[in-house]
Every structure is written in structure tokens, then in C-alpha cells.
Amino acid sequence: ASAKISVYAGHVLSFKPVGQTEDVMFLSSEAYYEKGKAIKGGTPICWPWFGPDPEGKGRASHGLARNRMWQMRDVVSTQDGATKVTLGLSDTEETRKIWDYSFDFAIAITVGKTLILDLLTKNTGSESFDITQALHTYFKVGDINKVAVLGLEDKNYLDKVDDGKQKTQSGKITFSSECDRIYLDVPNKLTVE
């Protein structure tokens, strides 16, 4: 397999599974790489909040993780032959002006037969905090009618296309029209088929 990973935003830009020449992620040819801006495509990270500023302070949507430089922390080969890359982001004077908490945040990116992304948050201070987070992945698909998401069966969600009404997922997710949802109480593992 192959992947392109950016230390700007801890961002996976590309993933090609073993034996495939086609990328499974979408990255616009017009994507821009500019300090303070999010990269449009690949897998942007939304952290410590998803969506608009939860406190209404005018801070950027989707938090502070997706428009900062991260540090390379580790690269190892796993027992099954995959490569695991760990990038990290810690609080700084600059981040404390935006979100005033001590933290250590990391993404572990395992590139092998599949792509596995693990988000790891550690509170390094004495004050508790709440977070929401998301991997806001852009997938390249050939036929949207053949795509399904598994793992959210019977979960509640907010349907942003229907004025934010709360609904319950029935069966796997398939797509027949515009879809913009926020799922609540999601499991750690989801599958895009």
C-alpha cells in the first residue's frame, strides 16, 4: 500500500491499497496548502470540536488541529508488515489563546492492507475538558449508489438536511440524495463498503 501524509494538520492526503493504482481518497487539484487554512480533501481532523465553535466565540469551525504543524513522533513496521506513523500536537501559547487547556493529541496512521487511523487525546493538565472529534474524510467513489457505511445501525443522528432533526439510523447507510448528518454515540470502528 502507499500513502501520502502531511505533518501540516496531521493529514492523510492519499491512500492506495495493495495492488491498486487508484487512490481511495479524493484530493482536489485545486486544494491549497496555506498556513492557517484547512486542506480540502484527504482526511482533515476536526478537534477539539466538530462543526461551528461550540461556545460561539468566533473560533474556526472544526477546531484547531487541522490548520497547525504537527510533530513526527514515530515510524515503525508492524508484525504484519504494515507501517505505523504517529504524529502529534501539544498545546502551545498560541493554541491556549484559542482553547485554554493543556493537551497532547496524536494520530496513529497504519498503512497496510487497510488504512487505520487512531485519534489519541491525553489531558496533560489538571482541568477537565470536553471534546468532540471527527475524521472528515473525502472518499473518491465511482458510483455513489454502490457505497454503504456499516457500524452506525440503530444510532441516533442529527439530520442537517432536515433542519437538524434527530433521527435513528435504520440498517446500513446508503446514499440516494444529499446527506449531511452528525451521528451521536458512535462506535470506534466504522466500515465504508
Side-chain angles (χ1 to χ4, degrees):
S2 67
K4 291 181 183 175
I5 301 167
S6 173
V7 291
Y8 179 76
H11 199 117
V12 178
L13 300 171
S14 167
F15 175 67
K16 295 178 185 175
V18 174
Q20 291 189 23
T21 57
E22 186 92 18
D23 203 316
V24 298
M25 292 188 176
F26 174 78
L27 182 64
S28 173
S29 60
E30 297 178 16
Y32 48 84
Y33 305 90
E34 185 179 325
K35 184 179 179 181
K37 301 286 184 181
I39 300 170
K40 303 297 184 193
T43 302
I45 299 170
C46 304
W47 186 94
W49 61 83
F50 174 80
D53 178 355
E55 297 174 3
K57 295 180 178 178
R59 299 173 295 185
S61 287
H62 301 314
L64 57 86
R66 66 190 199 136
N67 57 13
R68 299 257 169 322
M69 289 299 292
W70 290 49
Q71 299 82 40
M72 174 68 74
R73 293 197 175 159
D74 197 24
V75 178
V76 296
S77 293
T78 65
Q79 288 184 344
D80 64 355
T83 300
K84 184 176 182 179
V85 177
T86 304
L87 304 175
L89 180 68
S90 298
D91 62 287
T92 64
E93 188 175 312
E94 180 186 13
T95 65
R96 299 290 297 249
K97 289 177 184 175
I98 299 166
W99 192 65
D100 195 18
Y101 295 100
S102 297
F103 66 86
D104 185 77
F105 182 49
I107 183 168
I109 304 161
T110 304
V111 180
K113 290 181 182 178
T114 60
L115 177 66
I116 300 170
L117 306 175
D118 292 307
L119 298 178
L120 311 159
T121 301
K122 182 177 181 181
N123 183 344
T124 57
S126 57
E127 189 176 347
S128 66
F129 56 75
D130 292 321
I131 63 165
T132 57
Q133 61 188 12
L135 296 168
H136 205 295
T137 307
Y138 292 69
F139 290 105
K140 183 188 265 186
V141 296
D143 185 348
I144 191 66
N145 297 308
K146 295 180 180 177
V147 174
V149 178
L150 311 174
L152 294 170
E153 297 82 357
D154 302 317
K155 295 293 182 184
N156 291 327
Y157 65 90
L158 305 176
D159 189 340
K160 293 176 65 179
V161 175
D162 193 8
D163 295 322
K165 290 180 184 171
Q166 185 166 321
K167 299 179 179 180
T168 302
Q169 180 63 39
S170 176
K172 63 185 178 182
I173 300 170
T174 58
F175 303 92
S176 59
S177 62
E178 180 182 1
C179 182
D180 190 355
R181 301 173 180 172
I182 299 173
Y183 281 82
L184 309 173
D185 192 31
V186 299
N188 290 331
K189 185 175 180 179
L190 302 173
T191 302
V192 177
E193 180 179 74

